[in-house]
Amino acid sequence: MSAGKNKLGLIAGNGRFPFLVLDAARAQGHEVIVVAIKEEALPVIESHGTTVHWLSLGELSKLIETFKREGVQRAIMAGQVKHKQIFSSIRPDWRLAKVLLSLGTRNTDSLLGAIAKVLADEGIALENSTSFLEPLLAKRGVLTKRVPSEQEMRNIAYGRGVARHLAQYDIGQTVVVAETTCVAVEAMEGTDATIERAGQIMASLESGPSTLSRALTMIKIAKPNQDMRFDVPVIGLKTIEVMRKAGATCLALDADRCLLLDGDAIIIAADAAEIAIVAD
Protein backbone atom coordinates (compact mmCIF):
# COMPACT_ATOMS: atom_id res chain seq x y z
CA MET A 1 0.00 0.00 0.00
CA SER A 2 1.43 3.39 -0.99
CA ALA A 3 1.90 6.18 1.53
CA GLY A 4 -0.98 8.16 -0.01
CA LYS A 5 -3.39 5.26 0.15
CA ASN A 6 -2.35 4.56 3.74
CA LYS A 7 -3.43 8.06 4.80
CA LEU A 8 -6.93 8.50 6.13
CA GLY A 9 -8.74 11.77 6.71
CA LEU A 10 -11.06 11.89 9.72
CA ILE A 11 -13.72 14.61 9.93
CA ALA A 12 -14.45 14.61 13.65
CA GLY A 13 -17.74 15.73 15.18
CA ASN A 14 -18.76 15.38 18.82
CA GLY A 15 -18.82 12.38 21.13
CA ARG A 16 -16.64 9.25 21.32
CA PHE A 17 -17.28 8.01 17.78
CA PRO A 18 -14.27 9.86 16.23
CA PHE A 19 -11.92 8.48 18.90
CA LEU A 20 -13.01 4.91 18.18
CA VAL A 21 -12.40 5.37 14.45
CA LEU A 22 -9.06 7.07 15.10
CA ASP A 23 -7.80 4.29 17.37
CA ALA A 24 -9.07 1.47 15.12
CA ALA A 25 -7.61 3.00 11.95
CA ARG A 26 -4.23 3.60 13.56
CA ALA A 27 -4.22 0.04 14.91
CA GLN A 28 -4.53 -1.12 11.29
CA GLY A 29 -1.52 0.92 10.25
CA HIS A 30 -3.21 4.02 8.84
CA GLU A 31 -1.82 7.50 9.30
CA VAL A 32 -4.84 9.54 10.34
CA ILE A 33 -5.16 13.25 9.55
CA VAL A 34 -7.91 14.73 11.72
CA VAL A 35 -10.02 17.71 10.77
CA ALA A 36 -11.81 18.56 14.01
CA ILE A 37 -14.97 20.65 13.78
CA LYS A 38 -14.56 23.59 16.16
CA GLU A 39 -18.25 23.72 17.07
CA GLU A 40 -18.50 20.01 17.86
CA ALA A 41 -15.29 18.03 18.44
CA LEU A 42 -13.83 17.47 21.90
CA PRO A 43 -10.49 19.29 22.53
CA VAL A 44 -9.00 16.11 24.03
CA ILE A 45 -8.65 14.72 20.50
CA GLU A 46 -5.38 16.68 20.31
CA SER A 47 -3.89 14.37 22.95
CA HIS A 48 -4.25 11.26 20.77
CA GLY A 49 -0.90 11.67 19.06
CA THR A 50 -2.01 12.54 15.55
CA THR A 51 -2.16 15.59 13.29
CA VAL A 52 -5.23 17.72 14.11
CA HIS A 53 -6.53 20.69 12.12
CA TRP A 54 -9.35 22.76 13.65
CA LEU A 55 -11.90 24.12 11.16
CA SER A 56 -15.31 25.71 11.48
CA LEU A 57 -18.40 23.99 10.09
CA GLY A 58 -18.62 26.60 7.35
CA GLU A 59 -15.08 26.11 6.00
CA LEU A 60 -15.60 23.50 3.29
CA SER A 61 -12.88 24.98 1.04
CA LYS A 62 -10.33 24.85 3.87
CA LEU A 63 -11.33 21.23 4.57
CA ILE A 64 -10.55 20.29 0.98
CA GLU A 65 -7.34 22.34 0.94
CA THR A 66 -6.18 20.70 4.19
CA PHE A 67 -6.76 17.17 2.95
CA LYS A 68 -5.08 17.87 -0.38
CA ARG A 69 -2.06 19.44 1.34
CA GLU A 70 -1.79 16.36 3.58
CA GLY A 71 -2.15 13.96 0.64
CA VAL A 72 -5.48 12.54 1.83
CA GLN A 73 -7.56 10.71 -0.79
CA ARG A 74 -9.86 8.75 1.57
CA ALA A 75 -11.85 10.18 4.45
CA ILE A 76 -14.41 9.23 7.09
CA MET A 77 -16.99 11.34 8.88
CA ALA A 78 -17.47 10.30 12.50
CA GLY A 79 -19.27 11.97 15.36
CA GLN A 80 -22.46 13.93 15.43
CA VAL A 81 -22.86 17.36 13.89
CA LYS A 82 -26.15 18.70 15.18
CA HIS A 83 -28.57 19.43 12.37
CA LYS A 84 -29.65 22.66 14.10
CA GLN A 85 -26.15 24.02 13.46
CA ILE A 86 -27.18 25.03 9.94
CA PHE A 87 -29.47 27.61 11.56
CA SER A 88 -26.74 28.96 13.85
CA SER A 89 -24.46 31.96 13.35
CA ILE A 90 -21.90 29.94 11.37
CA ARG A 91 -20.95 31.66 8.11
CA PRO A 92 -20.51 29.28 5.16
CA ASP A 93 -17.67 29.93 2.75
CA TRP A 94 -18.45 30.30 -0.95
CA ARG A 95 -18.24 26.57 -1.60
CA LEU A 96 -20.58 25.55 1.22
CA ALA A 97 -22.93 28.44 0.38
CA LYS A 98 -23.15 27.07 -3.15
CA VAL A 99 -24.00 23.63 -1.76
CA LEU A 100 -26.71 25.04 0.54
CA LEU A 101 -28.29 27.03 -2.30
CA SER A 102 -28.40 23.94 -4.51
CA LEU A 103 -30.45 21.90 -2.05
CA GLY A 104 -34.19 21.46 -2.41
CA THR A 105 -34.40 20.29 1.22
CA ARG A 106 -31.79 20.92 3.89
CA ASN A 107 -32.06 17.66 5.78
CA THR A 108 -29.04 15.66 6.94
CA ASP A 109 -28.98 13.28 4.00
CA SER A 110 -29.21 15.92 1.29
CA LEU A 111 -26.66 18.24 2.91
CA LEU A 112 -24.04 15.61 3.73
CA GLY A 113 -24.65 13.82 0.42
CA ALA A 114 -23.95 17.05 -1.45
CA ILE A 115 -20.78 17.64 0.59
CA ALA A 116 -19.66 14.06 -0.14
CA LYS A 117 -20.10 14.74 -3.87
CA VAL A 118 -18.00 17.90 -3.64
CA LEU A 119 -15.26 15.92 -1.87
CA ALA A 120 -15.43 13.17 -4.49
CA ASP A 121 -15.13 15.74 -7.29
CA GLU A 122 -11.93 16.92 -5.57
CA GLY A 123 -10.50 13.39 -5.45
CA ILE A 124 -11.38 12.66 -1.81
CA ALA A 125 -13.54 9.55 -1.41
CA LEU A 126 -15.81 9.49 1.65
CA GLU A 127 -15.96 5.95 3.09
CA ASN A 128 -18.43 4.20 5.41
CA SER A 129 -18.11 5.59 8.94
CA THR A 130 -18.36 2.04 10.32
CA SER A 131 -15.53 0.63 8.14
CA PHE A 132 -13.21 0.13 11.12
CA LEU A 133 -15.90 -0.58 13.71
CA GLU A 134 -17.94 -3.50 12.38
CA PRO A 135 -17.56 -5.50 15.65
CA LEU A 136 -19.53 -2.71 17.38
CA LEU A 137 -22.56 -2.99 15.07
CA ALA A 138 -25.63 -4.44 16.82
CA LYS A 139 -26.00 -8.14 16.01
CA ARG A 140 -29.40 -9.67 15.25
CA GLY A 141 -31.40 -11.07 18.17
CA VAL A 142 -32.01 -10.33 21.84
CA LEU A 143 -28.79 -8.85 23.22
CA THR A 144 -29.72 -8.72 26.92
CA LYS A 145 -30.65 -11.25 29.57
CA ARG A 146 -34.23 -10.05 29.64
CA VAL A 147 -36.37 -10.80 26.60
CA PRO A 148 -38.92 -8.14 25.56
CA SER A 149 -42.41 -8.78 26.94
CA GLU A 150 -45.42 -9.31 24.67
CA GLN A 151 -46.46 -5.69 25.18
CA GLU A 152 -42.97 -4.46 24.40
CA MET A 153 -42.96 -6.54 21.22
CA ARG A 154 -46.26 -4.92 20.21
CA ASN A 155 -44.75 -1.53 20.95
CA ILE A 156 -41.74 -2.39 18.78
CA ALA A 157 -43.88 -3.51 15.84
CA TYR A 158 -45.97 -0.34 16.04
CA GLY A 159 -42.96 1.94 16.60
CA ARG A 160 -41.00 0.47 13.71
CA GLY A 161 -43.92 1.17 11.39
CA VAL A 162 -44.13 4.79 12.56
CA ALA A 163 -40.35 5.29 12.42
CA ARG A 164 -39.93 3.76 8.96
CA HIS A 165 -42.69 5.94 7.58
CA LEU A 166 -41.19 9.12 9.06
CA ALA A 167 -37.55 8.24 8.34
CA GLN A 168 -38.07 8.73 4.62
CA TYR A 169 -38.41 12.42 5.46
CA ASP A 170 -35.19 12.35 7.53
CA ILE A 171 -37.06 12.61 10.82
CA GLY A 172 -38.22 10.09 13.38
CA GLN A 173 -35.19 7.79 13.57
CA THR A 174 -36.04 7.53 17.27
CA VAL A 175 -39.63 6.88 18.32
CA VAL A 176 -40.76 6.35 21.92
CA VAL A 177 -43.91 4.30 22.45
CA ALA A 178 -46.14 3.24 25.37
CA GLU A 179 -49.03 0.78 24.94
CA THR A 180 -48.77 1.06 21.12
CA THR A 181 -49.18 4.83 21.38
CA CYS A 182 -46.55 7.23 20.07
CA VAL A 183 -45.32 9.38 22.95
CA ALA A 184 -42.38 11.19 21.30
CA VAL A 185 -40.70 11.42 17.89
CA GLU A 186 -37.16 12.67 17.32
CA ALA A 187 -36.63 15.79 15.25
CA MET A 188 -33.60 18.10 15.59
CA GLU A 189 -33.14 17.68 19.34
CA GLY A 190 -31.41 14.28 19.19
CA THR A 191 -32.06 10.85 20.69
CA ASP A 192 -31.41 11.53 24.37
CA ALA A 193 -33.53 14.68 24.41
CA THR A 194 -36.38 12.76 22.75
CA ILE A 195 -36.27 10.06 25.45
CA GLU A 196 -36.15 12.71 28.18
CA ARG A 197 -39.19 14.44 26.69
CA ALA A 198 -41.11 11.16 26.61
CA GLY A 199 -40.24 10.58 30.28
CA GLN A 200 -41.39 14.09 31.17
CA ILE A 201 -44.71 13.52 29.43
CA MET A 202 -45.30 10.35 31.41
CA ALA A 203 -44.18 12.02 34.67
CA SER A 204 -46.66 14.84 34.08
CA LEU A 205 -49.64 12.44 34.21
CA GLU A 206 -51.71 12.06 37.33
CA SER A 207 -49.97 9.76 39.78
CA GLY A 208 -53.00 7.54 40.44
CA PRO A 209 -53.33 3.98 39.11
CA SER A 210 -53.77 3.53 35.37
CA THR A 211 -55.20 0.63 33.40
CA LEU A 212 -52.42 1.14 30.82
CA SER A 213 -48.70 0.64 31.38
CA ARG A 214 -46.62 3.81 31.36
CA ALA A 215 -43.40 1.92 30.63
CA LEU A 216 -41.72 3.28 27.52
CA THR A 217 -40.26 1.37 24.59
CA MET A 218 -37.64 3.10 22.45
CA ILE A 219 -37.21 2.26 18.78
CA LYS A 220 -34.13 3.57 16.91
CA ILE A 221 -33.87 2.71 13.25
CA ALA A 222 -31.68 3.39 10.26
CA LYS A 223 -33.18 5.29 7.36
CA PRO A 224 -34.76 3.23 4.54
CA ASN A 225 -31.72 3.81 2.32
CA GLN A 226 -29.22 4.51 5.09
CA ASP A 227 -25.98 5.92 3.74
CA MET A 228 -23.39 4.33 6.00
CA ARG A 229 -20.95 7.13 5.24
CA PHE A 230 -22.72 9.47 7.66
CA ASP A 231 -25.49 9.89 10.25
CA VAL A 232 -25.36 6.22 11.29
CA PRO A 233 -27.60 5.43 14.31
CA VAL A 234 -25.52 5.33 17.50
CA ILE A 235 -26.23 4.14 21.05
CA GLY A 236 -23.97 4.76 24.04
CA LEU A 237 -23.97 4.21 27.79
CA LYS A 238 -25.53 7.63 28.26
CA THR A 239 -28.55 6.51 26.24
CA ILE A 240 -29.16 3.59 28.60
CA GLU A 241 -28.93 5.92 31.62
CA VAL A 242 -31.36 8.40 30.02
CA MET A 243 -33.75 5.51 29.29
CA ARG A 244 -33.57 4.31 32.88
CA LYS A 245 -34.38 7.75 34.26
CA ALA A 246 -37.24 8.21 31.80
CA GLY A 247 -38.86 4.89 32.65
CA ALA A 248 -38.02 3.16 29.36
CA THR A 249 -37.77 -0.62 29.65
CA CYS A 250 -37.01 -1.76 26.11
CA LEU A 251 -34.79 -0.70 23.21
CA ALA A 252 -35.21 -1.93 19.62
CA LEU A 253 -32.47 -1.39 17.02
CA ASP A 254 -31.76 -2.23 13.40
CA ALA A 255 -29.32 -5.13 13.23
CA ASP A 256 -25.99 -4.41 11.50
CA ARG A 257 -26.89 -0.74 11.04
CA CYS A 258 -26.62 0.70 14.55
CA LEU A 259 -23.35 1.22 16.45
CA LEU A 260 -23.03 0.28 20.12
CA LEU A 261 -20.31 2.78 20.95
CA ASP A 262 -19.42 1.25 24.31
CA GLY A 263 -19.69 -2.36 23.13
CA ASP A 264 -20.52 -4.93 25.81
CA ALA A 265 -20.61 -2.24 28.49
CA ILE A 266 -23.96 -1.14 27.03
CA ILE A 267 -25.39 -4.63 27.45
CA ILE A 268 -24.08 -4.87 31.03
CA ALA A 269 -25.66 -1.50 31.87
CA ALA A 270 -28.96 -2.50 30.27
CA ASP A 271 -29.00 -5.77 32.21
CA ALA A 272 -28.39 -3.87 35.46
CA ALA A 273 -31.32 -1.55 34.65
CA GLU A 274 -33.50 -4.48 33.49
CA ILE A 275 -33.80 -2.92 30.04
CA ALA A 276 -34.30 -5.37 27.19
CA ILE A 277 -32.41 -4.73 23.94
CA VAL A 278 -33.33 -6.44 20.69
CA ALA A 279 -31.96 -5.94 17.17
CA ASP A 280 -33.81 -6.99 14.04
Side-chain angles (χ1 to χ4, degrees), residues 11 23 55 69 102 110 122 126 135 137 147 151 166 180 204 212 219 229 248 255 268:
I11 305 169
D23 291 343
L55 298 181
R69 186 170 62 251
S102 73
S110 60
E122 295 290 340
L126 199 61
L137 290 170
V147 175
Q151 180 58 57
L166 292 175
T180 58
S204 71
L212 298 177
I219 298 94
R229 294 177 299 174
I268 293 169

Side-chain angles (χ1 to χ4, degrees), residues 156-216:
I156 291 170
Y158 170 76
R160 281 190 185 281
V162 172
R164 295 210 188 289
H165 180 74
L166 292 175
Q168 63 185 311
Y169 303 107
D170 200 24
I171 57 174
Q173 276 185 276
T174 299
V175 173
V176 186
V177 173
E179 289 281 354
T180 58
T181 299
C182 189
V183 179
V185 175
E186 179 183 5
M188 279 192 181
E189 72 272 40
T191 299
D192 291 345
T194 304
I195 302 166
E196 289 172 349
R197 178 159 50 88
Q200 291 165 2
I201 290 171
M202 285 304 181
S204 71
L205 301 175
E206 293 183 7
S207 59
S210 171
T211 57
L212 298 177
S213 170
R214 294 173 180 174
L216 299 169

